[in-house]
Amino acid sequence: MATPSDPALEAAPAQDERVACEHADRCGGCPVIGLSYAEQLALKRGRVVQSVARYPALELLYTEPVAAAPSVVGYRTRAKLIVGQSGRMGLFAKGGGHQVVDIPRCRVLAPVLSRVASALRARVAAAEAEGGCLAPFDAPGGGTLRAVDLREVRDDEKARALVTFVVQRDRVRDLAPLEDAAKRLMRDVPEIAGVAVNFHEGEAPQILGPETVPLTGAASMPDRMGASVHMATFGSFVQAHRGQAQRVHAMLAEALGLGKGSPEARRPRVLDLYGGSGAIALGLAAAGAKVRLVESFPAAVAQAREAAAAQDLDVEAEQGDAAAVLRSLVERGERFDAAVVNPPRRGTSPMAREWLARVEPQVIAYVSCDPETLARDLDHLARLGYAASALRPLDMIPLTDEVETVAILRRTGVPMPRVIHADREILVVEKGAHEPTTPQGEYAGSLLARVRRVAGAEDAVPVHRLDVGTSGLVMFARKPEYVARWQAVLGAATTRKIYVAAVRGITPSKGAITRDLREDGKLYPARTRYRRLAVAAGHSVLRVVPEQGRTHQIRRHLAAIGHPVLGDDRYGHATTNRYFEEKNGLDRAFLHCVRIELDHPDGGGRVLVEAPLTGDLRAVLERTSGPGTLRFLDHKNALGTSGTSHLPPGPDEVVHDRGSALEVDTRSPTLKPEIVTDDDEGRRSDDY
């Protein structure tokens, strides 16, 4: 039976409570510590509301008030503390830089971690003075220790700790001194269950490196989380707040209908993606589910299997990438009643979302630690036929602006696309990211299939196409016999398709790129004009107009001048792409067809159709440069609005909106990059 000291049973903090901390003025670990608890909860809810508000498909999604934490101090189950000179052990100071702030008596660490940190602090100071193996990495003369990773484990109400020394690999010649230091530490601090060493690689920004070696004591420990016990080990993921994690598990069991009905009732099959060492899977199995856990980290899979066997729980653990395993499940014809998705901060991959929809669970429970990537993924899942009615945020990390959110999605059917413009012969619709214009084998659906659900468009055919990862305007003819006429309209000299792109580095203010492009073994002339609209975090936001419709013309031309589109996995810069995916949630090419201008062939004057920049790309701009860049571009009408405008034809030339950022100067200087190698031949001549 739980005791009153269990964090899950402690009284929630008063709404006007403010936490006092001696390190608050310098330490960056608790950025909202100066706010009352009610203000903190309002801030967190506001983050979730703002994230989903970027997406029209999520406009009816209600965000519940944030579930308060049962305790806001002494709650953290894990801490990664940077080691600095003079025995300092803590976090980096506010305002950037790499100055370590020593944080003895930290208010948020679990008590056992606070005691272990105190003992370590004294040993680091002694090692610095004596030249021992635990001397700080940046100490005069050089040391080895960069950080310590502390993990609380509990079994039957007793709290212990797992300790990981994070050392610089190229400074460790012999593990024997570290083993000796670990044994002495365990002897002096009985609450430590085991010690390991992790090897930091080079100047990698991540604290933990890829290799961890146990030094002494237990290599793993049972850790109770609600009704089940999982195996914890060095550096493994764990939710920061034990009481709130138990609340998440209860939410999931309730949403999946577990614990209800007679013992003879059919046990639901649940797929647990990004399952880690099995905390959620084991809890669901204890509540009556048959669970298939999928996790990419082999050690975590082994721990999940060990814990399931020890408790006789029905959990099958599989090691592998989520998208690859999902594809295999679909190809084998396996189906699940429900799926739980608990990804890292960058969210799920686009193909994982595609294959998840094809597994056809009736319910998807999505647990997210990042509102922006959650909203991005929910928008995509809505196009795949899964929608939520409400979001349930929790305060998983009090005194910070971070927020955990649970979304329960159910199968609702694939929605029709937004029709921006329609007349007797054509429709212009808005295409989302990660959606093929026409059916492709690995994708669950297509824009064409959705368009054909629109009244009067049952026989629709695309007049042009956009690449899978590109969003924006696509024109469809209502009947096949109209296609040739409208393709001629799109190919006319007076027609413009205008794109917004974000590219690597800072381009000239404007330019034109002339470079022949290869298609089907032949070279064709191609010219692309651009104008720089803004600079965001050292990269450029452009308006781009391709004068032809060559395969991937924009992407190939911009890459040719050394400014590839951000997120472009074919022509882009791999390191930059990885950074933008990890830090800013960009999981596709930053390219959007924002506007089509044409002369209507039936004498209807100049037609201008716009689709505003999508929510995921707006979120990337805001995360990289704050709201100021977005406000500036919106003020310039550079990111598009939703709708159609008509202008009368000019007497001698096409009428353009000369006062708008939409306009690209036709007199832009021309760059003619040399063709060094042949480009890969694309799939279609009008994919950008």
Side-chain angles (χ1 to χ4, degrees):
M1 180 176 178
T3 67
S5 63
D6 188 332
L9 301 180
E10 294 178 14
Q15 295 291 289
D16 61 351
E17 179 178 341
R18 282 179 168 81
V19 175
C21 177
E22 61 189 288
H23 311 298
D25 60 335
R26 298 185 62 231
C27 175
C30 298
V32 299
I33 194 171
L35 301 179
S36 71
Y37 196 53
E39 291 169 330
Q40 293 180 37
L41 297 181
L43 174 69
K44 293 169 189 275
R45 187 186 188 207
R47 278 197 64 197
V48 180
V49 170
Q50 181 182 21
S51 296
V52 299
R54 298 187 181 104
Y55 300 86
L58 307 180
E59 62 185 355
L60 298 180
L61 191 55
Y62 174 68
T63 301
E64 297 179 1
V66 179
S71 56
V72 300
V73 296
Y75 70 84
R76 282 202 72 108
T77 58
R78 185 182 178 197
K80 288 182 279 188
L81 303 178
I82 310 300
V83 173
Q85 296 180 33
S86 305
R88 287 179 289 127
M89 184 181 299
L91 303 177
F92 289 129
K94 291 179 179 179
H98 290 83
Q99 183 180 2
V100 179
V101 177
D102 194 26
I103 52 172
R105 300 169 298 280
C106 172
R107 298 300 309 277
V108 299
L109 289 186
V112 66
L113 300 189
S114 186
R115 293 190 290 270
V116 170
S118 180
L120 280 167
R121 188 173 280 107
R123 280 162 172 74
V124 170
E128 183 178 359
E130 300 165 3
C133 64
L134 295 184
F137 171 77
D138 61 353
T144 64
L145 192 63
R146 279 186 168 272
V148 293
D149 186 313
L150 310 179
R151 165 73 187 270
E152 180 201 45
V153 293
R154 285 192 182 190
D155 190 19
D156 299 326
E157 305 308 318
K158 182 178 181 181
R160 302 186 71 185
L162 295 172
V163 177
T164 305
F165 299 145
V166 183
V167 300
Q168 185 70 17
R169 178 184 289 277
D170 56 13
R171 295 192 182 182
V172 176
R173 301 288 183 267
D174 184 3
L175 286 182
L178 287 169
E179 290 176 351
D180 182 61
K183 290 175 181 177
R184 285 187 280 112
L185 180 65
M186 282 194 65
R187 181 193 64 205
D188 296 341
V189 187
E191 292 172 302
I192 297 177
V195 183
V197 60
N198 174 270
F199 297 98
H200 184 91
E201 300 281 0
E203 295 300 322
Q206 297 83 7
I207 292 176
L208 293 177
E211 183 184 5
T212 300
V213 177
L215 295 174
T216 189
S220 62
M221 287 288 292
D223 190 16
R224 177 166 293 279
M225 188 72 69
S228 65
V229 176
H230 68 281
M231 299 302 295
T233 190
F234 306 102
S236 59
F237 172 77
V238 64
Q239 293 284 17
H241 200 299
R242 191 176 297 272
Q244 291 291 68
Q246 293 178 28
R247 179 176 278 169
V248 169
H249 295 182
M251 283 184 183
L252 298 179
E254 178 186 16
L256 303 183
L258 300 176
K260 299 178 180 179
S262 65
E264 294 79 22
R266 188 179 73 88
R267 299 170 64 195
R269 295 192 72 205
V270 179
L271 182 62
D272 180 20
L273 299 175
Y274 311 94
S277 57
I280 289 177
L282 295 164
L284 296 178
K290 299 173 65 175
V291 184
R292 172 79 65 86
L293 177 148
V294 178
E295 168 59 41
S296 62
F297 187 46
V301 174
Q303 293 153 19
R305 290 171 178 159
E306 179 184 352
Q311 299 168 82
D312 194 25
L313 294 175
D314 196 346
V315 175
E316 180 182 352
E318 182 172 353
Q319 188 269 324
D321 171 73
V325 172
L326 283 166
R327 178 171 186 162
S328 176
L329 293 173
V330 171
E331 292 173 345
R332 296 198 302 265
E334 294 198 43
R335 295 293 183 267
F336 293 84
D337 301 296
V340 175
V341 183
N342 185 19
R345 186 172 299 276
R346 64 178 177 272
T348 62
S349 71
M351 289 314 302
R353 301 192 291 268
E354 286 285 341
W355 289 109
L356 175 59
R358 296 178 68 170
V359 173
E360 299 180 352
Q362 292 299 312
V363 179
I364 299 174
Y366 194 129
V367 183
S368 169
C369 61
D370 187 290
E372 282 80 15
T373 56
L374 171 64
R376 177 202 68 194
D377 292 357
L378 292 181
D379 180 65
H380 186 192
L381 287 167
R383 290 193 295 278
L384 297 172
Y386 287 87
S389 60
L391 300 178
R392 304 182 67 181
L394 304 93
D395 188 13
M396 185 65 73
I397 314 180
L399 309 183
T400 75
D401 56 2
E402 303 296 335
V403 57
E404 196 86 1
T405 308
V406 177
I408 307 301
L409 295 81
R410 303 186 187 277
R411 293 187 72 181
T412 56
V414 176
M416 290 188 290
R418 286 180 78 197
V419 178
I420 307 298
H421 172 80
D423 62 25
R424 185 178 61 86
E425 294 186 355
I426 61 162
L427 302 96
V428 182
V429 303
E430 193 172 36
K431 182 182 108 53
H434 313 299
E435 181 177 37
T437 305
T438 55
Q440 292 185 21
E442 66 269 36
Y443 291 92
S446 68
L447 181 61
L448 175 61
R450 294 202 295 138
V451 167
R452 286 181 172 174
R453 297 182 57 212
V454 176
E458 295 81 3
D459 301 317
V461 178
V463 178
H464 70 113
R465 296 172 175 85
L466 294 180
D467 193 40
V468 171
T470 303
S471 56
L473 297 167
V474 180
M475 180 184 292
F476 287 82
R478 291 183 183 270
K479 302 286 185 182
E481 54 264 33
Y482 302 148
V483 172
R485 182 186 192 215
W486 284 95
Q487 284 182 338
V489 171
L490 287 186
T494 56
T495 295
R496 298 196 309 174
K497 291 197 287 286
I498 303 177
Y499 292 75
V500 173
V503 302
R504 184 173 184 262
I506 301 177
T507 68
S509 61
K510 59 184 178 181
I513 307 162
T514 300
R515 185 192 193 209
D516 293 349
L517 296 177
R518 188 178 300 278
E519 292 180 9
D520 301 321
K522 297 180 180 180
L523 284 175
Y524 294 91
R527 186 170 185 259
T528 300
R529 293 180 283 122
Y530 71 86
R531 174 183 172 189
R532 194 181 71 224
L533 300 174
V535 174
H539 303 288
S540 302
V541 182
L542 308 179
R543 280 283 182 181
V544 186
V545 177
E547 293 186 355
Q548 294 78 25
R550 307 302 181 200
T551 302
H552 301 163
Q553 178 171 329
I554 293 173
R555 295 159 58 192
R556 291 161 74 179
H557 270 177
L558 289 170
I561 64 169
H563 297 289
V565 175
L566 298 176
D568 185 348
D569 60 0
R570 186 167 184 175
Y571 307 105
H573 187 264
T575 303
T576 303
N577 291 349
R578 284 195 300 271
Y579 175 85
F580 267 80
E581 183 175 10
E582 292 285 343
K583 297 296 184 180
N584 303 307
L586 180 62
D587 64 356
R588 50 112 167 187
F590 196 120
L591 189 59
H592 176 80
C593 183
V594 70
R595 184 168 180 168
I596 296 176
E597 300 178 2
L598 55 87
D599 291 331
H600 199 284
D602 292 333
R606 187 75 173 163
V607 179
L608 285 62
V609 186
E610 289 189 10
L613 194 69
T614 53
D616 62 328
L617 301 185
R618 293 181 70 91
V620 170
L621 285 178
E622 188 157 3
R623 288 178 79 143
T624 54
S625 57
T629 298
L630 273 176
R631 284 197 298 266
F632 170 77
L633 293 174
D634 281 331
H635 178 71
K636 293 289 187 180
N637 299 317
L639 301 181
T641 58
S642 183
T644 306
S645 303
H646 293 268
L647 297 174
D652 299 311
E653 62 176 356
V654 175
V655 175
H656 295 315
D657 48 332
R658 297 292 182 187
S660 169
L662 291 169
E663 180 58 35
V664 179
D665 190 349
T666 58
R667 298 165 297 177
S668 300
T670 298
L671 298 172
K672 296 183 178 180
E674 179 184 356
I675 300 176
V676 180
T677 60
D678 290 345
D679 290 307
D680 294 336
E681 292 183 7
R683 291 187 295 275
R684 298 186 183 276
S685 63
D686 48 5
D687 281 356
Y688 293 101

